[in-house]
């Protein structure tokens, strides 16, 4: 049995302040749901900086090396063709293609790794706690892997920060 | 936040520093005057280089302000007084360039009518390339930039007193006007002042190439000044790492843009291999100039790119200043490579170049700090001030 504690706020400032206090009281934050990207919420939740940037660099670098070596091998080793009297290994002519392949690898690689990391696939039904987070509600969902949750504490913090409502929700696994 | 304390504090250069700056300007002037008798051509080339450098800083200041007005952006309000003060160097750039218009004979081949008449290719360009038209265009460019720029800044300063939103609305219109016409004039100015040094050669991307150099050097100077002013506590809590981060991203993006444009011009000419175009690069790929070309790309793109690749370095004043110094050195090298190879088969470098560049920078700093301390360090009644203070990246 997995338990969720869902607190609803009507503005981002209350949500942010409450988030800081939940975290200070060692309550496990599952996620926050907001109508728009709230600046500073990631810091309040204590999220680590995204690791996607490193992946992006790695993908881009792979593309860079692949395009460089590939073009060199094709036009200087495997099938040399004289184009306009230029040397076979013409780095300036390779650069635009290197640039494009780097961008292509970095872009597609990052998007697909995002989908894999966040387990998004076509036809996936997301768990929705409230449909009003797409309109005017700000949700903070607390949960613990073991289903242990100090409900009283969570409730008192929510009241303190003007939560509109709060509830407990169970989910059988 | 403590509004009053921070806003009344004014940055005044200590007299000691002012004396040093005056000293550098004086040394620059001595070199200029002395050199005019010994090696006039070299001095004129240096006047052109430094004149364009200073003009670009002033132009970048007002353009930065105008772009953010037009884009309706809020984050830049806290730092806006810095580019506004940078604009004050533009009249001095005008003075440098007026001098060029007077000494046109030393620099520009096309200023001699007999040369133009006897050259089949240059004959067709007489209507555009002659000293009278050159001077008229130069005055037109500068008068437009300075008058419209002053208009924008005066509205911004008036808003400090009245807090009227109308000033922001009017400034948006003036800024759009400035960007349209002033941008075209900037492209024209780089064709006129630099590209015509070699009147046979032409490149349509040259205006864009100079624009990128102007913007990167302006941003670099802005970042250094902001980091310094923040250290002096001028902005208090108003200027956060987030503002530096925005500027760092600007610098990162536009150094890459510079690299892109530089490569565009280089590769297309290299690939097409048309004699009338390749002359430009042949002159710059001989002897020591070749290594200067490599240095140019490293200073303007490779070093800043590697330094600013990370989020942490883009938010850190120290790294930003290091990258900015590379970019400023790169801008000098870039201008040097545009101007000097048209006159000298081998590079000339010495006391004259260093002294005059330092003098120009000292002049800029003196003017900047004088202008900056005249008004409140941030536009305290701008409607976007709250948004700028709350900037979070």
């Amino acid at each position: 049995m997995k338990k969720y504690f869902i607190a609803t706020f009507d503005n981002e400032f209350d949500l942010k302040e409450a988030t800081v206090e939940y975290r200070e009281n060692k309550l496990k934050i599952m996620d926050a749901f907001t109508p728009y990207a709230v600046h500073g919420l990631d810091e309040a939740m204590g999220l680590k900086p995204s690791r996607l940037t490193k992946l992006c660099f790695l993908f881009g670098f792979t593309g860079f090396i692949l395009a460089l070596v590939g073009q060199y091998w094709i036009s200087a080793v495997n099938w040399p063709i004289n184009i306009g009297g230029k040397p076979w290994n013409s780095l300036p002519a390779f650069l635009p293609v290197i640039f494009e392949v780097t961008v292509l690898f970095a872009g597609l690689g990052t998007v697909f790794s995002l989908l894999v990391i966040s387990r998004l696939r076509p036809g996936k039904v997301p768990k929705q706690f409230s449909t009003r987070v797409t309109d005017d509600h700000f949700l903070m969902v607390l949960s613990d892997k073991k289903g242990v949750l100090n409900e009283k504490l969570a409730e008192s913090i929510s009241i303190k920060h003007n939560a509109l409502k709060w509830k407990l929700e169970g989910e059988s696994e | 936040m403590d509004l009053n304390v921070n806003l009344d504090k004014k940055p005044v250069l200590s007299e000691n520093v002012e004396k040093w700056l005056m000293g550098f300007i004086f040394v620059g002037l001595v070199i200029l005057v002395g050199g005019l008798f010994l090696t006039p051509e070299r001095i004129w080339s240096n006047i052109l280089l430094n004149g364009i450098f200073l003009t670009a800083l002033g132009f970048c200041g007002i353009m930065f302000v105008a772009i953010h007005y037009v884009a309706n952006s809020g984050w830049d309000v806290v730092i806006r007084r810095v580019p506004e003060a940078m604009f004050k160097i533009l009249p001095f750039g005008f003075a440098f360039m007026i001098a060029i218009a007077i000494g046109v004979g030393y620099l520009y081949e096309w200023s001699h009518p007999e040369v133009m008449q006897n050259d089949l290719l240059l004959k067709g360009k007489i209507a555009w390339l002659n000293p009278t038209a050159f001077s008229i265009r130069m005055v037109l460019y500068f008068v437009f930039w300075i008058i419209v720029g002053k208009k924008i800044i005066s509205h911004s300063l008036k808003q400090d007193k009245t807090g009227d939103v109308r000033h922001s609305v009017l400034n948006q219109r003036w800024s759009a006007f400035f960007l349209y016409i002033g941008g075209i004039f900037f492209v024209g100015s780089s064709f006129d002042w630099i590209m015509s040094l070699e009147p046979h050669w032409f490149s349509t991307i040259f205006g864009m190439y100079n624009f990128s150099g102007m913007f990167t050097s302006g941003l670099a100077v802005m970042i250094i000044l902001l980091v310094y002013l923040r250290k002096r506590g001028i902005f208090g809590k108003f200027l956060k790492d987030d503002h530096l981060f925005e500027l760092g991203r600007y610098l990162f993006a536009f150094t890459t843009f510079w690299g892109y444009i530089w490569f565009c011009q280089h590769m297309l000419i290299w690939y097409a291999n048309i004699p009338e175009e390749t002359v430009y690069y042949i002159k710059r790929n001989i002897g020591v100039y070749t290594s200067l070309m490599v240095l140019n790309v490293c200073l303007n793109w490779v070093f800043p790119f590697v330094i600013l690749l990370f989020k942490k370095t883009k938010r850190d004043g120290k790294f930003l200043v290091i990258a900015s110094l590379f970019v400023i050195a790169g801008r000098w090298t870039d201008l040097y490579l545009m101007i000097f190879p048209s006159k000298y088969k081998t590079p000339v470098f010495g006391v004259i170049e260093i002294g005059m560049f330092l003098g120009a920078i000292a002049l800029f700093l003196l003017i900047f700090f004088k202008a900056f301390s005249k008004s409140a360090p941030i536009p305290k009644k701008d409607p976007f001030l709250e948004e700028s203070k709350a900037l979070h990246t």
Side-chain angles (χ1 to χ4, degrees), chain B residues 368-393:
Chain B
F368 172 82
F369 283 109
K370 283 246 157 96
F372 187 76
S373 47
K374 265 185 193 150
S375 51
I378 65 166
K380 50 190 170 187
K381 284 183 180 165
D382 193 285
F384 283 119
L385 184 59
E386 282 302 316
E387 189 177 326
S388 184
K389 277 197 300 195
L391 177 70
H392 182 278
T393 44

Side-chain angles (χ1 to χ4, degrees), chain A residues 39-40 42-43 57 83 86 90 92-93 95-96 99, chain B residues 260 263 266-267 270-273 309 311 390 392-393:
Chain A
H39 278 279
D42 48 347
E43 280 157 30
F57 178 79
I83 300 169
K86 295 276 187 272
S90 293
L95 275 182
F99 174 72
Chain B
Y260 185 78
F263 179 71
H266 187 275
M267 194 207 62
W270 169 84
Y271 215 123
N273 207 7
L309 194 56
K311 188 181 178 183
H392 182 278
T393 44

